Amino acid sequence: MFEVFRKYLDSRISLTDEQFDRITSVATLKKLRKKQYLLQQGDVWRFNAFIQKGCVRVYTVDDKGLEHVLSFAQENWWTGDRESLLTGNPAKFNVDAIEDSEIVLIAKPDFDLICKEIPVFNDMVHDIIQRSFVASQNRIHASISYTAEEKYLDFVKKYPDFAVRIPQHMIASYLGVTAETLSRVRKVSAKK
Amino acid sequence: MFEVFRKYLDSRISLTDEQFDRITSVATLKKLRKKQYLLQQGDVWRFNAFIQKGCVRVYTVDDKGLEHVLSFAQENWWTGDRESLLTGNPAKFNVDAIEDSEIVLIAKPDFDLICKEIPVFNDMVHDIIQRSFVASQNRIHASISYTAEEKYLDFVKKYPDFAVRIPQHMIASYLGVTAETLSRVRKVSAKK
DNA sequence: ATTCTTTCTTGACATTTATCAATTTCTTTC
DNA sequence: GAAAGAAATTGATAAATGTCAAGAAAGAAT
């Protein structure tokens, strides 16, 4: 049931079977069909979510009905709305499945307890957050510095697996350009 | 010498005098004149830096000589290049003083030791990183969703003190637009 | 296999933002 | 307080990107 999660944890930290069982004792497995929501704008997000299988997106919908993708996540990534989790305020973001997915959920109070009980787990979590922060700094830098074409090439280079797996219009939205612009950009850079 | 730093720490966690002395025993105070570098692109960044006084910017310079501002920081904020600090790779960013500034520096190995020795300090650090991550997520969202005008209004609302303290062309660069565009945007929104 | 839906592409045109150059305003320094 | 330097504004024009609409291609469902 939690094989992928176990493999992930073993690849980063060493846990005894007891510790792993302790973790899974508070974990639940959620299966999502394509297009199903994991979280909807306005609800409070209370979990740490680890993706065992599939692919999700985090996004908002604005007044005009346009979607803006904040992030993608696939196998062995964590997802959710950190701000809502941290503050307890209603989420600004939706999370839904791009493909049928399997998500490990651990409610915040349980998660926090585990962090206290298992220091290496805690260290791992902090390391992940720190790296996420660095990654988002780099994304900001790309966003304010690059042209549409540069943004796309940078994205493909950084996340080649996303580039083939995720519909282009969602990638466009992630990059902050329209689907039409991305289509044209791809056409131009294909020739080079 | 470290009064501002002490006040800052006292406002977030409780430390004994001994613990505070332990921290400052490995801290140095760096004074920067306006325009002086704290870090230059290409050098490795090895510190945690707390601003006691003044204001700095973190930015890159691209091939065309254009500057792109990743972040500002002022009194009671931390700054530096987290990626370089984390990985030991040369920094992508410059950091320099927008005004004469006073910065508390703690080298990474010392800082990590202190985190181990003083759990509440460690917790504080993680909390800061987590909040920084959330803030940068929000900035990404603004960057991909908003028009130039919306970006500026959002910035002013979030950081009213920066808006009055920092030259407009740097704010423009932070928002990912040209100085001319920001000037026009301000003119238009002033009328409303 | 056919239909239905979603995604992607293309064209024509509109809008936003960038670029370049000139001028004005504001700061800093001596 | 005059001179120099930096920052901000403005105008004219160019380039990039967005919008709208239509059709083609690809994928999913029956």
Side-chain angles (χ1 to χ4, degrees):
Chain A
M1 198 177 183
F2 295 115
E3 293 77 19
V4 178
F5 191 36
R6 172 94 212 215
K7 258 199 180 163
Y8 170 86
L9 291 172
D10 285 344
S11 76
R12 334 209 124 211
I13 54 178
S14 23
L15 291 178
T16 63
D17 288 345
E18 290 69 38
Q19 287 174 321
F20 183 72
D21 291 344
R22 168 73 179 103
I23 293 170
T24 53
S25 75
V26 294
T28 56
L29 192 67
K30 176 139 188 167
K31 299 197 179 195
L32 286 184
R33 307 296 302 277
K34 186 172 171 173
K35 298 200 179 178
Q36 216 182 321
Y37 286 110
L38 181 60
L39 166 69
Q40 289 194 65
Q41 212 161 137
D43 293 347
V44 176
W45 175 247
R46 303 188 180 283
F47 303 93
N48 285 84
F50 174 85
I51 301 177
Q52 289 214 123
K53 182 168 153 291
C55 189
V56 306
R57 73 215 245 249
V58 180
Y59 66 101
T60 55
V61 181
D62 69 20
D63 332 320
K64 290 174 198 149
L66 295 174
E67 297 178 348
H68 304 282
V69 176
L70 186 73
S71 66
F72 300 114
Q74 62 183 0
E75 292 83 7
N76 297 308
W77 291 47
W78 297 83
T79 190
D81 181 329
R82 252 213 173 256
E83 182 164 17
S84 179
L85 185 65
L86 187 68
T87 64
N89 294 335
K92 280 204 285 281
F93 299 104
N94 303 281
V95 182
D96 71 12
I98 297 176
E99 305 170 5
D100 293 354
S101 301
E102 247 183 65
I103 321 260
V104 179
L105 292 177
I106 302 176
K108 182 180 163 72
D110 295 322
F111 195 87
D112 292 347
L113 266 181
I114 286 170
C115 284
K116 290 218 168 178
E117 291 171 19
I118 309 177
V120 289
F121 187 84
N122 191 241
D123 293 346
M124 180 194 75
V125 170
H126 292 319
D127 186 61
I128 290 164
I129 293 173
Q130 182 153 208
R131 283 169 201 280
S132 305
F133 175 56
V134 168
S136 66
Q137 296 283 95
N138 286 328
R139 175 141 170 238
I140 290 169
H141 182 250
S143 180
I144 63 175
S145 311
Y146 293 172
T147 62
E149 180 175 11
E150 289 167 337
K151 283 176 199 176
Y152 177 67
L153 294 176
D154 180 58
F155 177 80
V156 172
K157 197 169 154 195
K158 264 194 194 127
Y159 307 110
D161 26 1
F162 282 152
V164 298
R165 181 174 202 178
I166 293 172
Q168 265 180 52
H169 69 274
M170 292 186 190
I171 295 175
S173 167
Y174 175 95
L175 299 175
V177 301
T178 60
E180 293 93 332
T181 294
L182 181 58
S183 173
R184 287 174 180 122
V185 153
R186 279 164 47 87
K187 195 173 160 191
V188 170
S189 37
K191 285 186 190 161
K192 296 183 183 169
Chain B
M1 197 176 182
F2 296 115
E3 292 78 19
V4 179
F5 190 36
R6 172 94 212 216
K7 259 199 179 162
Y8 170 86
L9 290 172
D10 284 344
S11 77
R12 332 209 125 210
I13 55 178
S14 22
L15 290 177
T16 63
D17 287 345
E18 289 69 37
Q19 287 175 322
F20 183 71
D21 291 345
R22 168 74 181 104
I23 294 168
T24 52
S25 74
V26 294
T28 56
L29 192 67
K30 176 139 188 167
K31 299 198 180 196
L32 286 184
R33 308 295 303 277
K34 186 171 170 174
K35 300 201 178 175
Q36 217 183 317
Y37 286 109
L38 181 61
L39 166 68
Q40 288 194 65
Q41 211 162 134
D43 293 347
V44 176
W45 175 249
R46 304 190 179 284
F47 303 93
N48 285 85
F50 175 85
I51 302 177
Q52 290 214 123
K53 185 169 152 289
C55 189
V56 307
R57 72 213 246 250
V58 180
Y59 66 102
T60 55
V61 181
D62 68 20
D63 331 319
K64 290 174 198 149
L66 295 174
E67 297 178 347
H68 304 282
V69 176
L70 186 73
S71 66
F72 301 114
Q74 62 181 1
E75 292 84 6
N76 297 309
W77 291 46
W78 297 82
T79 190
D81 181 329
R82 216 143 248 287
E83 182 165 16
S84 178
L85 186 66
L86 187 68
T87 63
N89 294 333
K92 280 205 283 282
F93 299 103
N94 302 282
V95 181
D96 71 11
I98 298 177
E99 304 170 5
D100 294 354
S101 302
E102 249 182 63
I103 322 260
V104 179
L105 293 178
I106 303 176
K108 182 178 163 73
D110 295 323
F111 195 87
D112 292 347
L113 266 181
I114 287 169
C115 284
K116 290 217 168 177
E117 290 172 20
I118 310 177
V120 288
F121 187 84
N122 191 241
D123 293 345
M124 181 195 75
V125 169
H126 293 319
D127 186 60
I128 290 164
I129 293 174
Q130 183 152 210
R131 282 169 202 282
S132 304
F133 175 56
V134 168
S136 65
Q137 294 283 96
N138 286 328
R139 176 143 170 237
I140 290 169
H141 183 250
S143 181
I144 63 174
S145 311
Y146 293 172
T147 62
E149 181 176 11
E150 288 167 337
K151 283 176 197 174
Y152 177 67
L153 295 176
D154 179 59
F155 177 80
V156 172
K157 197 168 155 197
K158 266 198 191 122
Y159 307 110
D161 26 1
F162 282 152
V164 297
R165 181 174 202 178
I166 292 172
Q168 267 180 51
H169 68 275
M170 291 185 191
I171 296 176
S173 167
Y174 174 95
L175 299 176
V177 301
T178 60
E180 292 94 331
T181 293
L182 181 58
S183 173
R184 290 177 178 120
V185 153
R186 280 164 47 87
K187 195 173 160 189
V188 170
S189 34
K191 285 188 191 162
K192 296 183 183 167

